[in-house]
Amino acid sequence: MNAKGDLIARALSLGLGAPEFEVSSDGPPHQRTFHVTVRIGGEPLGEGGSGRSRKDAERAAADSALRVLDGEPMADTEEVHDEAPAGRWPIYAGVLEAALETATEFADEDASLDDVRRDAGRLYRELLLDLGHGPDPL
């Protein structure tokens, strides 16, 4: 499972914009601990994550944010789910890429990046529905 990639694709497909990963660290260089907070639209999403590497902390923070998007209550961030939670839209890279390209092509000149992302997410969901795919039921 690529929690960070899944979160980015999920946030874009929902029209929320790209998540930002704020990283901080503490401790001596040989025992550094990284702390990551995921923000979407400037607001924190999930409980964040910590780890001995930046990658582990980002993965934990993304997993926590995905659980929030799935409507799960805040839980222990150290728990890792191997199965994809219900209620997620499937992620098809080719369809998502086509939606992003189309949204970019048809965007107004003064459209913001968030406007393009929102349109891409809407197009992505519509394309999946037209192809007979939708979110897994909760």
Side-chain angles (χ1 to χ4, degrees), residues 3-133:
K4 185 176 178 182
D6 290 350
L7 174 62
I8 292 168
R10 184 81 165 303
L12 291 174
S13 73
L14 293 172
L16 301 174
E20 297 173 0
F21 293 80
E22 292 182 356
V23 181
S24 63
S25 63
D26 57 34
H30 65 284
Q31 286 184 313
R32 186 124 357 239
T33 300
F34 292 86
H35 308 280
V36 175
T37 301
V38 174
R39 292 186 183 278
I40 294 182
E43 296 296 318
L45 183 65
E47 296 175 349
S50 297
R52 299 275 298 163
S53 71
R54 179 183 178 137
K55 184 177 179 179
D56 288 343
E58 287 178 341
R59 184 181 307 124
D63 188 56
S64 175
L66 282 168
R67 288 194 306 267
V68 170
L69 289 177
D70 290 333
E72 291 183 25
M74 299 293 244
D76 183 4
T77 57
E78 291 183 20
E79 182 181 337
V80 176
H81 297 280
D82 291 331
E83 297 178 296
R88 288 187 174 187
W89 282 86
I91 298 180
Y92 301 107
V95 177
L96 184 57
E97 180 181 10
L100 286 167
E101 287 176 2
T102 302
T104 302
E105 182 180 331
F106 289 102
D108 292 333
E109 266 189 47
D110 61 341
S112 71
L113 185 55
D114 283 337
D115 292 336
V116 174
R117 289 176 180 153
R118 195 173 6 267
D119 290 343
R122 182 184 48 76
L123 288 169
Y124 179 75
R125 288 188 304 273
E126 289 174 5
L127 284 168
L128 288 185
L129 288 173
D130 287 348
L131 294 170
H133 299 275

